[in-house]
């Protein structure tokens, strides 16, 4: 029987703000691929999303006929061979659980995603999942290695120019059209993946694991420590360590970013830097917007920045800073540890970024990379704006 695979949002979604303000959990990037893209590779077909209403238009749910089996999978879990096999073995009306957490279920019918399955099975294998924003960079090493193996199996890398200094070439893969010259590629500590049409300019120092997505650019002299991902059409410069850029974002100049997650369509002005460890080496506490309280995130955590947010030159971001969606951060000193979505400016002088100006400016940044903002994206941002306005003190 035909199967329709759906990744559904769980209550974990609210813990992954600011990134899930503008996407389902499964559209987050961890490693080379998004969670959705990982599942599509593993199951061999397209996968859709079942999410909250304001996201559903941009991330549609693929509906199907009465007789089609709907396979619903928790959107925050990462696939592996053992887990995929267990899910594929599920029969209609069966659910798969791990430690009382639902992993997947199979039901039949057009509105099957609303129907609870009955026959419960327990899964004994390990499960890798994203629960908090900092999990994205903490899991990035493991995820890059897994995605690298998935994407390169049975394939041959494009040629690597002899102008580069290369260590462990067997774990370096260049997609067609990638341009890398006069740089150091050290894959002794993990694989290096350079996407289609991406460019690594001269003088870059890259230590794996590292992934540069399709159309991405590393500016001259960039220093990259693993495990770092720059998603499609991102620009990297300065010093970057153990960070994930989802896509279409820029850190094109000097400055340090470490143990961080940067959403889409962000821009970090020249010499923007973030602290990733406290001076007293105490655990970093991160403001959880949905809980309205801080939570320990481990020994290291840099900035967590939502989509469409920008920083002026010389911006200093303190340890564990959270910046929401569509903020324009500028001014003297450190921003607060939590910058709500649609904030304009800093400190006492900050005001709400007016919606029409925010949409105008976000669209202008998108056009710089050859994209136009869709009607669905405008509606999505309007919904986030309304939610943020309702929750402002």
């Amino acid at each position: 029987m035909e199967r329709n695979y759906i990744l559904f949002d769980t209550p974990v979604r609210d813990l992954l703000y600011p990134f899930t303000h503008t996407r389902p959990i499964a559209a987050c990037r961890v490693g080379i691929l998004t969670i959705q893209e990982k599942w599509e590779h593993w199951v061999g077909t397209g996968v859709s999303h079942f999410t909250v209403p304001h996201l559903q238009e941009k991330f549609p749910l693929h509906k199907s006929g009465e007789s089609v089996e709907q396979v619903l999978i928790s959107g925050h879990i990462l696939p592996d061979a053992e887990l995929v096999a267990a899910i594929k073995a599920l029969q209609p009306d069966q659910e798969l659980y791990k430690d009382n957490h639902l992993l997947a279920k199979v039901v039949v019918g057009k509105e099957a995603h609303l129907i609870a399955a009955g026959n419960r099975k327990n899964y004994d294998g390990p499960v890798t999942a994203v629960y908090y924003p900092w999990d994205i960079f903490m899991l990035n090493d493991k995820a890059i290695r897994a995605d690298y193996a998935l994407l390169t199996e049975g394939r041959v890398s494009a040629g690597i120019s002899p102008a580069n200094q290369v260590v462990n070439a067997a774990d370096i893969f260049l997609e067609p059209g990638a341009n890398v010259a006069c740089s150091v590629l050290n894959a002794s500590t993990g694989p290096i993946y350079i996407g289609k049409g991406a460019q690594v300019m001269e003088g870059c120092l890259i230590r794996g694991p590292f992934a540069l997505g399709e159309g991405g650019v590393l500016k001259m002299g960039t220093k990259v420590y693993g495990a770092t991902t720059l998603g499609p059409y991102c620009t990297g410069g300065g010093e970057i360590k153990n960070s994930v850029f989802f896509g279409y974002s820029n850190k094109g100049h000097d400055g340090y970013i470490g143990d961080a997650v940067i959403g889409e369509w962000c821009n970090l002005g020249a010499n923007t830097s973030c602290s990733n460890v406290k001076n007293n080496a105490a655990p970093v506490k991160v403001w959880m917007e949905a809980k309205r309280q801080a939570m320990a995130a481990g020994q290291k955590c840099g900035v967590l920045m939502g989509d469409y947010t920008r920083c002026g030159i010389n911006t200093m971001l303190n340890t564990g800073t959270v910046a929401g969606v569509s903020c324009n951060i500028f001014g003297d000193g450190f921003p607060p540890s939590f910058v709500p979505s649609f904030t304009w400016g800093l400190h006492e002088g900050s005001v709400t970024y007016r919606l029409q100006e925010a949409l105008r400016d976000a669209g202008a940044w998108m056009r710089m990379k050859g994209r136009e903002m869709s009607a669905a994206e405008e509606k999505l941002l309007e919904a986030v704006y309304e939610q943020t306005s309702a929750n402002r003190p």
Side-chain angles (χ1 to χ4, degrees):
M1 183 179 288
E2 181 186 353
R3 285 194 155 187
N4 179 31
Y5 289 89
I6 300 167
L7 295 166
F8 66 91
D9 273 346
T10 71
V12 169
R13 176 185 171 274
D14 293 351
L15 302 179
L16 287 164
Y17 291 156
F19 307 108
T20 49
H21 277 310
T22 49
R23 61 176 55 76
I25 301 170
C28 291
R29 189 174 304 278
V30 190
I32 302 173
L33 304 170
T34 66
I35 298 174
Q36 175 189 357
E37 290 166 344
K38 298 176 199 296
W39 281 104
E40 288 175 338
H41 273 82
W42 277 101
V43 301
T45 187
V47 173
S48 66
H49 301 270
F50 182 50
T51 184
V52 294
H54 81 271
L55 298 177
Q56 200 70 83
E57 183 176 352
K58 182 179 178 183
F59 301 92
L61 174 66
H62 296 166
K63 297 185 178 180
S64 54
E66 293 283 358
S67 62
V68 174
E69 292 181 357
Q70 312 269 23
V71 183
L72 291 104
I73 303 169
S74 177
H76 73 290
I77 59 175
L78 278 56
D80 58 42
E82 185 179 1
L83 179 59
V84 171
I87 291 174
K88 285 186 173 182
L90 289 175
Q91 299 301 309
D93 299 324
Q94 287 187 334
E95 297 177 324
L96 189 65
Y97 276 80
K98 173 74 174 182
D99 299 331
N100 291 319
H101 295 287
L102 178 65
L103 301 179
K105 66 179 181 179
V106 179
V107 285
V108 178
K110 287 184 178 179
E111 302 300 327
H113 54 280
L114 301 177
I115 302 171
N119 184 6
R120 176 167 171 165
K121 300 179 68 176
N122 290 317
Y123 180 68
D124 295 327
V127 173
T128 302
V130 174
Y131 294 96
Y132 304 105
W134 49 88
D135 287 338
I136 294 171
F137 66 76
M138 287 182 174
L139 293 173
N140 206 43
D141 187 303
K142 179 179 180 179
I144 288 177
R145 294 173 193 270
D147 290 348
Y148 183 91
L150 192 67
L151 291 171
T152 65
E153 183 179 9
R155 303 176 62 212
V156 177
S157 170
I160 303 174
S161 168
N164 296 292
Q165 183 174 341
V166 174
V167 180
N168 193 25
D171 282 341
I172 299 174
F173 194 94
L174 275 60
E175 293 285 1
N179 182 5
V180 184
C182 303
S183 290
V184 176
L185 309 178
N186 180 4
S188 65
T189 53
I192 294 173
Y193 176 88
I194 309 296
K196 180 180 178 182
Q199 182 180 14
V200 177
M201 295 183 181
E202 53 270 27
C204 293
L205 305 175
I206 301 172
R207 184 179 179 87
F210 172 67
L212 180 62
E214 178 178 351
V217 176
L218 279 189
K219 303 286 282 293
M220 289 192 299
T222 304
K223 295 180 286 187
V224 180
Y225 300 84
T228 290
T229 297
L230 298 183
Y233 301 97
C234 284
T235 300
E239 185 177 3
I240 309 171
K241 174 243 176 190
N242 193 34
S243 297
V244 179
F245 288 58
F246 281 3
Y248 302 94
S249 290
N250 302 322
K251 181 202 174 301
H253 304 285
D254 286 342
Y256 174 74
I257 295 292
D259 303 289
V261 184
I262 307 295
E264 293 186 336
W265 306 108
C266 298
N267 189 73
L268 279 61
N271 292 315
T272 292
S273 289
C274 80
S275 167
N276 63 332
V277 64
K278 297 184 72 172
N279 283 347
N280 60 3
V284 180
K285 290 188 176 181
V286 172
W287 183 256
M288 302 297 288
E289 185 177 350
K291 288 179 170 286
R292 294 181 177 270
Q293 65 183 44
M295 181 174 176
Q299 204 71 30
K300 292 185 177 183
C301 185
V303 61
L304 306 169
M305 181 177 289
D307 293 356
Y308 303 102
T309 286
R310 302 175 297 281
C311 293
I313 61 170
N314 297 315
T315 299
M316 300 181 294
L317 299 166
N318 222 328
T319 319
T321 294
V322 177
V325 174
S326 194
C327 299
N328 191 0
I329 300 172
F330 61 89
D332 295 333
F334 287 95
S337 59
F338 173 60
V339 182
S341 297
F342 296 94
T343 293
W344 176 280
L346 286 180
H347 308 307
E348 294 80 7
S350 65
V351 297
T352 300
Y353 203 164
R354 292 188 294 266
L355 178 61
Q356 291 308 311
E357 282 85 348
L359 292 174
R360 177 200 65 197
D361 297 344
W365 278 99
M366 293 179 74
R367 284 191 292 275
M368 289 178 68
K369 298 210 175 195
R371 286 278 305 276
E372 290 289 336
M373 181 175 286
S374 68
E377 287 168 325
E378 283 196 12
K379 290 180 187 177
L380 188 160
L381 284 175
E382 289 170 2
V384 177
Y385 183 88
E386 290 171 3
Q387 292 171 7
T388 302
S389 299
N391 292 325
R392 282 187 188 273

